[in-house]
Amino acid sequence: MNQQATEQTSLLTQARQRRSPFSLPALLLAGACSLVAIGQPVQAATVSAPVLLEHVRLFDGTDTPEQEDMAVLVEGQSIAAVGHNGAVKAPKGTKRINLSGKTLIPGLISNHSHVGVVSGTKIGAENFTAPVIKTALDQYERYGVTTVTALGLTKSPLFDDLRKAQHANTDGADLFGVDQGIGVPGGMPPEGMVKVGKDQIFRPSTAEEARQAVDTMVSEGTDLVKLWVDDFRNGVKSAKPLPVMKPEVWQAVMAEAHAKNVRVAVHIHDLAYAKKLVSAGADIIAHGVRDEPVDDELISLMKSHNVWYVPTISLDEATYLFAEQPALLNDPVLKAGLSGDLSRQFSDAAWRDKIVKSPLDAASHKAVAMNEQNLLALYKAGVKIGFGTDSGAAPVRIPGFAEHRELRLLVEAGLTPLQALRLATSQAAALLNLSDRGVIAPGKRADFVVLEADPAQNIAAVDQISAVWRGGVRADGPLVPR
């Protein structure tokens, strides 16, 4: 890093420290005492002057086409008014910001990520700490991801306190998710790879143990229940399969969760398991089907059972992307989220050669193509689609950057840029039952991203972040210093 870049990084760090009057311990205490309901706007602790964003191109997160020369009035943590420029009346003392030539979109929302699993190139229980998680949440925010759902591998009470703290402040992405999650003894998620502590996941072997795990998670206030049903071969025929969860266990999980009015998200890879889990009562399929084309049976099941589908196409792309495209290391958008350790790994020719020659490389290419094909088929069929990446579960799934890659892959699959953005905003909010965000409209949270270019013309415009706002507070930025 050159001296100028070092100075810019230092200034950004100082600005972030100045932005929030609270220390992390204070935030955790505030969060632990908070009575904020999920999805409800939080009242600002201090009253700031209203802000009018003028002359901006607007994508509001819905099916409405982009609108030119619009104005958005922000008061406190909420959007007070939206209209054509000149039609929005601003109170006396309003700060005006001219955004001519720029585009305003809702903050991105991830329905499938993980926190506290990875630090640099290392995976392990030692990473589940408040500083590591807060660093990731800050990074998500810089990339315009203002709400994150951590689907398991968490630890109470730290995760619950952090979640409450993020609901009650505007520093870093907001946080929802799953307490622990339910895996398989000796199976998924693989203990030799995902080296989390025993207090970060349940591995019941009986239906009764499964019900007890659900009861514990619900008592901790989990937003969802997560379970893994997969043999972890990932399309590699020569790979040794891991044990798969028994039907009586997943059936007990779903029955107990639904009895307590909590929805269940399921990790799958294969079509056969997707059908079985949807039939059994899964509410969210947390990964795309990647082994074969989806068929009319799955489509009918998902629509009749009102099930959400989160493709996470970038999960498999990340397996080979950095090994096959080392030139990406020169991309300032990637550099903005890359640790030194990970940068050195991507620069290592031996590491790249090993990845490219592995059986998983070819299998991952096939998985991406199949996932894209299935996403488009399900989208056209009217299945409800969310947005996620599994970022944070492995070092190569980089928080924030992975979400930008996912948008590109959705467009590559056949969606228009605005259709892809709708999945990542209003649809992702709907999956979480969050009615206070995901769209730009009066009364909604002031969570939005200002882009230098028009994403309707090229989805790569999401990389050109000028500013990110969460809860009416402008975060540090831009993503890439100019």
Side-chain angles (χ1 to χ4, degrees):
M1 184 179 291
N2 59 36
Q3 182 177 357
Q4 181 182 9
T6 301
E7 291 172 351
Q8 288 171 332
T9 301
S10 177
L11 289 172
L12 286 174
T13 302
Q14 293 171 23
R16 183 169 294 280
Q17 291 171 342
R18 289 194 299 268
R19 184 178 75 164
S20 174
F22 304 105
S23 65
L24 180 59
L27 285 173
L28 291 177
L29 178 60
C33 298
S34 173
L35 297 178
V36 177
I38 292 176
Q40 297 301 313
V42 180
Q43 295 300 314
T46 57
V47 178
S48 57
V51 176
L52 185 65
L53 306 172
E54 301 180 290
H55 303 293
V56 70
R57 181 185 302 107
L58 176 66
F59 168 67
D60 67 5
T62 72
D63 287 330
T64 302
E66 287 182 328
Q67 301 175 77
E68 300 288 341
D69 199 28
M70 297 292 287
V72 177
L73 178 65
V74 176
E75 293 185 349
Q77 292 194 336
S78 301
I79 297 169
V82 179
H84 288 284
N85 205 66
V88 175
K89 296 182 179 180
K92 185 178 179 180
T94 295
K95 179 181 179 181
R96 296 173 179 268
I97 301 177
N98 189 326
L99 297 179
S100 295
K102 295 179 172 59
T103 305
L104 189 146
I105 66 172
L108 305 180
I109 298 172
S110 170
N111 296 136
H112 189 161
S113 296
H114 292 273
V115 296
V117 177
V118 173
S119 181
T121 59
K122 305 296 184 182
I123 299 175
E126 66 276 10
N127 297 326
F128 205 86
T129 66
V132 169
I133 295 171
K134 277 291 294 170
T135 295
L137 294 176
D138 288 347
Q139 180 162 310
Y140 278 116
E141 183 187 60
R142 291 198 300 275
Y143 278 89
V145 184
T146 54
T147 300
V148 171
T149 311
L151 278 190
L153 305 177
T154 63
K155 179 169 59 178
S156 297
L158 177 57
F159 179 67
D160 308 296
D161 291 342
L162 278 169
R163 191 169 29 161
K164 293 171 185 175
Q166 290 308 110
H167 294 342
N169 81 88
T170 56
D171 189 15
D174 200 358
L175 181 62
F176 296 86
V178 172
D179 284 84
Q180 294 97 10
I182 299 175
V184 184
M188 282 291 289
E191 296 177 82
M193 180 180 296
V194 185
K195 301 172 184 177
V196 299
K198 295 186 181 299
D199 52 357
Q200 289 178 250
I201 187 169
F202 295 109
R203 295 185 185 270
S205 58
T206 67
E208 179 56 32
E209 290 175 352
R211 285 188 287 269
Q212 291 173 0
V214 172
D215 291 347
T216 298
M217 294 167 67
V218 172
S219 72
E220 293 164 347
T222 192
D223 295 317
L224 300 162
V225 168
K226 163 76 175 291
L227 53 84
W228 284 261
V229 183
D230 180 17
D231 65 9
F232 201 58
R233 294 175 69 191
N234 291 320
V236 179
K237 294 181 180 180
S238 61
K240 182 181 178 180
L242 294 181
V244 178
M245 184 177 290
K246 299 174 183 178
E248 57 264 32
V249 173
W250 78 56
Q251 289 164 2
V253 168
M254 292 184 190
E256 189 72 6
H258 292 161
K260 296 182 180 299
N261 297 313
V262 177
R263 294 179 298 157
V264 179
V266 184
H267 167 115
I268 59 92
H269 181 282
D270 297 347
L271 176 63
Y273 283 121
K275 291 180 182 179
K276 291 177 182 178
L277 273 298
V278 172
S279 297
D283 302 286
I284 301 164
I285 297 299
H287 291 291
V289 172
R290 289 160 278 168
D291 65 327
E292 57 182 303
V294 296
D295 55 17
D296 291 340
E297 181 184 1
L298 179 64
I299 291 172
S300 178
L301 281 169
M302 295 197 70
K303 293 181 72 174
S304 63
H305 287 66
N306 203 31
V307 176
W308 284 90
Y309 183 89
V310 184
T312 65
I313 305 170
S314 60
L315 179 159
D316 292 291
E317 187 202 46
T319 301
Y320 57 78
L321 178 66
F322 306 106
E324 294 185 2
Q325 298 185 31
L328 276 174
L329 281 172
N330 299 319
D331 181 1
V333 177
L334 173 61
K335 287 182 179 179
L338 205 58
S339 70
D341 287 346
L342 205 52
S343 179
R344 285 185 287 274
Q345 178 174 288
F346 292 166
S347 300
D348 183 355
W351 176 85
R352 295 199 306 268
D353 187 60
K354 178 181 177 181
I355 295 297
V356 169
K357 291 180 178 178
S358 72
L360 185 58
D361 183 281
S364 296
H365 276 280
K366 291 179 181 178
V368 167
M370 184 59 68
N371 206 345
E372 289 180 340
Q373 175 184 325
N374 287 337
L375 172 276
L376 186 61
L378 291 166
Y379 183 89
K380 288 182 175 180
V383 171
K384 297 192 299 184
I385 311 294
F387 180 79
T389 63
D390 207 27
S391 55
V396 295
R397 301 172 201 163
I398 301 166
F401 183 81
E403 283 67 33
H404 287 214
R405 292 298 306 182
E406 186 76 12
L407 288 168
R408 282 175 165 82
L409 292 167
L410 291 172
V411 172
E412 184 178 282
L415 273 59
T416 69
L418 294 188
Q419 287 172 336
L421 281 172
R422 181 170 172 264
L423 297 189
T425 54
S426 61
Q427 286 295 96
L431 183 151
L432 294 172
N433 291 330
L434 296 176
S435 61
D436 66 339
R437 68 195 73 190
V439 296
I440 306 298
K444 304 298 183 183
R445 287 178 57 93
D447 292 0
F448 50 78
V449 184
V450 180
L451 303 175
E452 294 285 355
D454 182 1
Q457 302 302 315
N458 186 343
I459 193 61
V462 297
D463 290 345
Q464 300 180 49
I465 294 177
S466 173
V468 178
W469 295 65
R470 187 168 89 77
V473 177
R474 181 170 177 168
D476 299 327
L479 176 64
V480 178
R482 292 186 298 276

